């Protein structure tokens, strides 16, 4: 009987002597196994699994700003000139200067839109992103911009300028 009592005391006391008690929780492998067996249920003495949150999207290089209070517009696409079908480039910044100043950020298809422009003369340029080279427009018909060439327009009476595009390649 003495031997049985000593073995029982040793079995019960061992976790306390090595610093592992019933209240400290289970190891990660045990918790993962129990979570797989009981999906959606809280597992006793296990930390909650880490949230599988994707990293936040990078902030665009510019923020869209409001245009003026007129009735004219300029729109176009910033696209990859080497891709089949000229795939649009998202989150590129386009700068409008002239009678009013505005910025636009391209959408998921590479499109931008500046609306509500009053009559006047405008120049629109793209902010060329690092590692890219501009292919369109070219110097022979484009207007000089800080990072390549852009377009210049005179708008009046609610007119618009469409297909004001920028082509780029990543060599």
């Amino acid at each position: 009987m003495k031997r049985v009592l000593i073995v029982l005391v040793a079995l019960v006391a061992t976790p306390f002597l090595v610093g592992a008690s019933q209240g400290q929780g289970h190891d990660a492998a045990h918790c993962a196994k129990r979570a797989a067996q009981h999906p959606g249920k809280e597992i006793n003495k296990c930390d909650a699994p880490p949230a599988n949150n994707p990293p936040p999207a990078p902030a665009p290089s510019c923020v869209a700003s409001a245009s003026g209070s007129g009735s004219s517009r300029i729109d176009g696409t910033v696209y990859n000139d080497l891709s089949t079908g000229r795939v649009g480039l998202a989150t590129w910044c386009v700068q409008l200067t002239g009678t009013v100043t505005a910025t636009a950020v391209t959408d998921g298809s590479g499109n931008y839109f500046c609306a509500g422009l009053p009559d006047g003369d405008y120049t629109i340029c793209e902010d060329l992103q690092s590692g890219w080279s501009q292919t369109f427009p070219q110097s022979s018909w484009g207007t000089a911009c800080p990072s390549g060439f852009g377009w210049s327009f005179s708008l009046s009476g609610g007119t618009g300028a469409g297909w004001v595009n920028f082509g780029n390649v990543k060599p």
Side-chain angles (χ1 to χ4, degrees):
M1 174 93 162
K2 272 184 168 179
R3 288 184 190 177
V4 172
L5 184 59
I6 292 173
V7 171
L8 285 176
V9 170
L11 288 174
V12 171
T14 301
F16 295 102
L17 295 175
V18 297
S21 74
Q22 298 284 355
Q24 285 188 341
H26 300 294
D27 67 10
H30 178 80
C31 290
K33 180 179 176 184
R34 289 195 54 203
Q37 291 172 342
H38 307 284
K41 292 188 178 181
E42 184 177 329
I43 307 300
N44 226 4
K45 299 180 185 171
C46 291
D47 293 332
N52 188 14
N53 295 331
S61 61
C62 70
V63 176
S65 64
S67 300
S69 58
S71 58
S72 295
R73 60 158 180 72
I74 298 175
D75 63 83
T77 303
V78 177
Y79 60 90
N80 183 341
D81 204 11
L82 287 182
S83 64
T84 303
R86 293 184 173 169
V87 174
L89 298 170
T91 68
W92 279 55
C93 185
V94 178
Q95 303 283 341
L96 178 70
T97 57
T99 306
V100 297
T101 300
T103 57
V105 179
T106 59
D107 64 15
S109 298
N111 300 315
Y112 71 90
F113 192 79
C114 297
L117 301 174
D119 293 351
D121 296 326
Y122 294 94
T123 298
I124 191 155
C125 301
E126 70 176 345
D127 288 345
L128 196 60
Q129 291 189 8
S130 179
W132 288 82
S133 298
Q134 187 183 54
T135 58
F136 185 77
Q138 296 175 349
S139 62
S140 56
W141 60 82
T143 300
C145 290
S147 63
F149 295 94
W151 302 100
S152 292
F153 299 95
S154 291
L155 300 176
S156 63
T159 60
W163 299 92
V164 183
N165 299 333
F166 295 92
N168 301 281
V169 294
K170 193 167 193 174

